[in-house]
Amino acid sequence: MKNGVYSLLKARFLLNEDAVKNWRFIVFIIFLGILMIANTQRFEQKVFKIVALTNKSKELRSEFVDRRSELMKLKMESTVSEKMVEKGIFPSTIPPVKIKVREVKEKNFFQKLWQ
C-alpha cells in the first residue's frame, strides 16, 4: 500500500506505457470541470438578470399605480370645475335639454330637404 500511494504522489501512472488512457481521462475530467464552471457562471448571470428585471417590474407597477391615482383625481368633476374656474369658464346654471329624434318613415325625405 505504501508503494501505491508513493507511486501516485510521483505521478508514475502518467509516465508508464498506458499513460495515454490516463491522459485522455484527465483531459476529459478537466473538460467536464470547465464545462461545469461555465454552466454555473451562466446560471448566476441569469439569476442576477431575473432579479434586476423583477425589481424594475415592481418599480414600474408602483409608478403605474401612482399615475392611475393621479389620473383618477384629475378626472373628478370637482377638479375639472376648479381648473375651468381659473380660466373663466363656469358651470352652466341651465340644466341640459334632452333632444328627441323621431324616425322618418318617408324614403325620399332627405331628397326633399335638399331641393
Side-chain angles (χ1 to χ4, degrees), residues 8-24:
L8 183 67
L9 290 176
K10 284 198 168 195
R12 288 190 183 156
F13 65 95
L14 298 175
L15 302 175
N16 60 14
E17 57 272 348
D18 292 337
V20 175
K21 293 180 193 174
N22 295 334
W23 278 106
R24 280 190 212 152

Side-chain angles (χ1 to χ4, degrees), residues 66-106:
D66 289 342
R67 301 288 181 191
R68 185 174 58 187
S69 64
E70 288 176 18
L71 178 64
M72 295 300 278
K73 192 175 183 182
L74 288 173
K75 285 171 49 176
M76 290 175 60
E77 186 180 350
S78 59
T79 308
V80 172
S81 64
E82 286 176 8
K83 298 273 184 186
M84 292 296 115
V85 168
E86 292 173 5
K87 294 182 178 184
I89 301 172
F90 300 99
S92 176
T93 55
I94 304 168
V97 177
K98 190 172 187 179
I99 301 173
K100 293 182 181 179
V101 178
R102 54 189 172 139
E103 216 174 293
V104 178
K105 294 189 179 188
E106 203 172 304

Side-chain angles (χ1 to χ4, degrees), residues 2-42:
K2 186 177 181 183
N3 258 351
V5 173
Y6 189 65
S7 73
L8 183 67
L9 290 176
K10 284 198 168 195
R12 288 190 183 156
F13 65 95
L14 298 175
L15 302 175
N16 60 14
E17 57 272 348
D18 292 337
V20 175
K21 293 180 193 174
N22 295 334
W23 278 106
R24 280 190 212 152
F25 183 71
I26 289 173
V27 169
F28 178 70
I29 295 296
I30 290 172
F31 175 74
L32 285 179
I34 291 171
L35 190 65
M36 195 167 88
I37 290 170
N39 192 22
T40 304
Q41 180 70 17
R42 289 188 67 200

